[in-house]
Amino acid sequence: MSWPFVGFLLIGVVVGGFGTLIGAGGGFLLLPLLVFLYPHDRADVLTAISLTVAFVNALSGSFAYARMRRIDVRAGLIFAAAGVPGAIAGARVTSLLDRRSFDPLLGAMLVLAGAVLFVQSSRATPPETSTGTRTLIETDGTRHSYTPRIALGAVLSLGVGFLSSLLGIGGGIVHVPLMAYALGFPVHVATATSHFVLAIVVLAGVLVHAGNGSLGPAVGRIVPLAIGAFAGAQGGARLSSRVPGTWIVRALALALASVGLRLLVFR
């Protein structure tokens, strides 16, 4: 087993574990790394790698969250149906961008994602109520009662799908805080349901890239990253109930903003 294979495998484990832990998929971690490792690769090739790994990560995490019965399947299917057209459009637009346009766009999105994460970690978790229009009971007996804003969530999911596919970052980094703070979902349900939505929406973007030939040149990198992400996602899901991770999220937010500024200023 070659060192590059092992290196990509380990990167996949970290990306999958942390991405699933916070419900963000991991593409927001992987794509900046790919941008720096492969400065001469086309934007659509890097996005295809990131989206494929994000899909495998989200699929694995969704299996784990489904066993916990933490996914709001009905809301997830509605959000995914709204997000798929956006993901298809985003994947098509990516092929039109060169690196001079793509890198600063990604940089701006990473700075925004860092700000969202930092604000999210600094805000108090919205309290769960004992009543609501929807009740979800997990395998361990944990009960969630809440009133989700489905119509607003569908509209927002269309935009999230477009951005996630355009930039190859998955979209959970935006979707989770939206679900938790704007759409009325309990945080743990938001994390699990976002992963479920991500698996469906990102697959649409991956299929577009497969059709236009962006995946072919990257298979050697995708395979070890995907294997690692699948394994890491299982661990991330198990840790999700036990690790508050506020300091991790804040450190990640600063790291994302730093990488984003690097892409914006030094290009």
Side-chain angles (χ1 to χ4, degrees):
M1 192 179 293
S2 66
W3 279 113
F5 187 96
V6 173
F8 280 127
L9 191 70
L10 293 176
I11 290 171
V13 170
V14 173
V15 166
F18 194 83
T20 301
L21 180 65
I22 65 174
F28 70 102
L29 290 173
L30 178 59
L31 190 60
L33 181 61
L34 293 173
V35 166
F36 287 120
L37 287 177
Y38 300 99
H40 303 297
D41 275 16
R42 301 195 317 267
D44 59 331
V45 172
L46 298 183
T47 302
I49 297 172
S50 183
L51 282 181
T52 305
V53 175
F55 164 69
V56 173
N57 180 4
L59 185 66
S60 177
S62 294
F63 284 144
Y65 283 132
R67 289 195 296 269
M68 301 176 187
R69 296 181 186 172
R70 192 179 288 177
I71 298 173
D72 186 328
V73 176
R74 187 170 23 156
L77 289 174
I78 293 172
F79 294 168
V84 164
I88 293 172
R92 292 190 180 279
V93 171
T94 300
S95 63
L96 304 177
L97 297 176
D98 58 22
R99 288 294 296 270
R100 288 177 298 176
S101 302
F102 181 80
D103 287 7
L105 185 60
L106 175 62
M109 188 62 191
L110 291 175
V111 171
L112 177 61
V116 168
L117 268 182
F118 194 86
V119 170
Q120 177 189 0
S121 69
S122 303
R123 293 174 62 180
T125 301
E128 291 193 30
T129 61
S130 57
T131 59
T133 59
R134 190 166 300 182
T135 299
L136 188 151
I137 302 175
E138 297 185 33
T139 304
D140 64 1
T142 301
R143 183 186 184 91
H144 303 282
S145 294
Y146 54 102
T147 303
R149 300 176 181 90
I150 300 297
L152 176 60
V155 173
L156 294 174
S157 294
L158 177 64
V160 171
F162 177 78
L163 282 177
S164 67
S165 194
L166 175 69
L167 299 176
I169 58 174
I173 197 74
V174 177
H175 214 209
V176 171
L178 281 177
M179 290 179 68
Y181 294 101
L183 302 180
F185 288 82
V187 173
H188 283 123
V189 177
T191 301
T193 304
S194 172
H195 237 55
F196 174 66
V197 173
L198 190 65
I200 300 172
V201 171
V202 169
L203 177 59
V206 171
L207 292 176
V208 172
H209 283 293
N212 65 22
S214 302
L215 285 179
V219 171
R221 287 170 279 179
I222 289 173
V223 170
L225 284 168
I227 293 172
F230 191 93
Q234 296 295 311
R238 291 191 186 96
L239 287 173
S240 62
S241 300
R242 308 175 205 169
V243 181
T246 300
W247 65 273
I248 297 177
V249 174
R250 288 179 179 175
L252 175 64
L254 293 174
L256 284 175
S258 299
V259 172
L261 288 173
R262 167 69 175 77
L263 287 171
L264 286 169
V265 177
F266 303 101
R267 54 188 176 92

